[in-house]
Amino acid sequence: MFTKRNFLHSAALATLTATMTKPFPVRAQTSADRPGFFKAKDIAEAGFIYGLPIVMNYGVMYEYAVDRNSGQFKAPFNQLKNEPNVFTYKDTAIVTPNSDTPYSFAWMDLRAEPIVLSVPAVDPKRYYSVMLCDGNTYNYGYIGSRATGSEPGDYMVVGPDWKGATPPGIKKVFRSSTQFSVAGYRTQLFNPDDLDGVKKVQSGYKVQPLSAYLKQPATTAAKTIDFPKINKELVKTNFFDYLDFALQFAPAQENEKEIRAQLARIGVGPGKTLNFKDLSLEDKLEIGLGMKEGERKIDEAVANVGKAINGWRVSSLPGDSAHYNGDWLKRAAAAKAGIYGNDGAEAMYPLTRVDGDGKTLDGSNSSYTLTFLPGQQPPVNSFWSLTMYDGKTQLLIENPINRYLINSPMIPAMKTNSDGSLTLYIQNKSPGADKEANWLPAPNGPIYLVMRLYWPKAEPPSILPAGDGKWRPPGVKRV
């Protein structure tokens, strides 16, 4: 799962204090259209909560598929980029990155024609998935071990307004709610020596426009877009401008009409862009205060997501449009906790910043252990992992053994206790040569831990339903 770094803290705070500048043309709203002080503040608050995932998604898309000089660029639209490696501390475009499964990415421009995704036959023992996520951050479809099996197949992704026929040979059609979308591929890495196996699977992934799939002439190209530059500095002062830009590619769904109408009252929405530069200080204050309150509510929602079990928060936040059902705070919390997270049926993500006693995890002053009793490791059809992040940035940390996680394929090389239990050592310094096989290096400061349960078992004992399943993650213990 990914998120654009520092969006919340920078965007809301800067709006309160900065003089806004514009990176692209906008239309200012007249004072006669402006609602009263508190109403504008409330709309900005709701708009920030509604728009955060959309703006975060645009930020990642810009770095991955638009800006070739971003340092994180993957490939142009409608081209596949395989990553035959896992994320490390050097990868900073996203937070809470997954280092279990080397990724492949295909950002899709669906305006001109559909895109066909083809997958090869994959060894049933190797987990893989292709998650389809649109600009609204809805997971609108899956291809892979759980969803479609390990057989080869061709699948078609269409835009929100596409009305064509389904060609022969297409196993399933997936419809994005926005004109730009991403296919995120996860291919299981069994161990560090397995990269060639991953590369072999990745070489079988194929992305092509429908016309190429049908061996027909290409359709008329989509109109060229001047994508506005975005980074963590620009988003501080132009949050709603980026939301304006993104919304033009996202036809309003029925459950969005109310929030879109409210945003239009403060000049936000396609064709009604709010020009912060031309606003009075009073107007800027209104918008800034609303964003600040939206930030607070999102942070609170993340902190209280799901159910607290032994210090872990267990929930199933991500999903499709029906899953969120217009609950914009739930969607924003999912993005803040980790945008592009899987549906609960595909993967579960228990996460924590505290030990089993509720005290903040901090590698600068404490060492910890996490023990799984015999038969009590996470129940999954595929595999599970525990990943360490810096508690401030939610990024992977540099460490002397280049270990960012411990997962179930690593267990045969680890030491178990005399009773058959497995203890993991979570600390900043090495626990000693005799325990280093079980060491998960921690930062010299706040700790953020995320478990990943891929294809969690549905039958008891299971972590499902989220927060109410029979399996419960053990608490982290302070040494």
Side-chain angles (χ1 to χ4, degrees), residues 359-429:
K359 296 181 180 179
T360 299
L361 297 171
D362 193 323
S364 67
N365 55 37
S366 297
S367 297
Y368 306 90
T369 60
L370 180 66
T371 298
F372 295 102
L373 297 177
Q376 292 298 307
Q377 290 182 30
V380 291
N381 290 303
S382 188
F383 71 104
W384 64 267
S385 69
L386 175 68
T387 306
M388 172 67 68
Y389 299 100
D390 178 273
K392 294 179 181 178
T393 65
Q394 291 181 214
L395 295 174
L396 299 169
I397 64 164
E398 185 175 7
N399 64 83
I401 60 172
N402 296 317
R403 179 180 294 166
Y404 309 104
L405 58 84
I406 287 175
N407 59 28
S408 49
M410 297 167 60
I411 291 176
M414 302 175 74
K415 294 183 177 181
T416 55
N417 301 317
S418 58
D419 63 355
S421 62
L422 175 70
T423 296
L424 308 182
Y425 299 94
I426 301 168
Q427 55 193 72
N428 180 246
K429 303 297 182 184

Side-chain angles (χ1 to χ4, degrees), residues 81 88 125 128-129 165 175 191 218 319 324 395 409 432 450 468:
K81 171 62 174 178
T88 72
K125 295 179 182 178
Y128 91 101
S129 72
R175 185 176 298 274
N191 54 60
Y324 291 115
L395 295 174
V450 177
D468 296 315

Side-chain angles (χ1 to χ4, degrees), residues 20 64 66 72 82 140 156 158 215 247 320 342 375 394 466:
M20 310 303 174
Y64 276 26
V66 177
Q72 304 292 334
N82 290 315
Y140 61 92
M156 189 164 72
V158 304
K215 296 179 171 56
L247 289 180
D320 60 11
N342 275 303
Q394 291 181 214

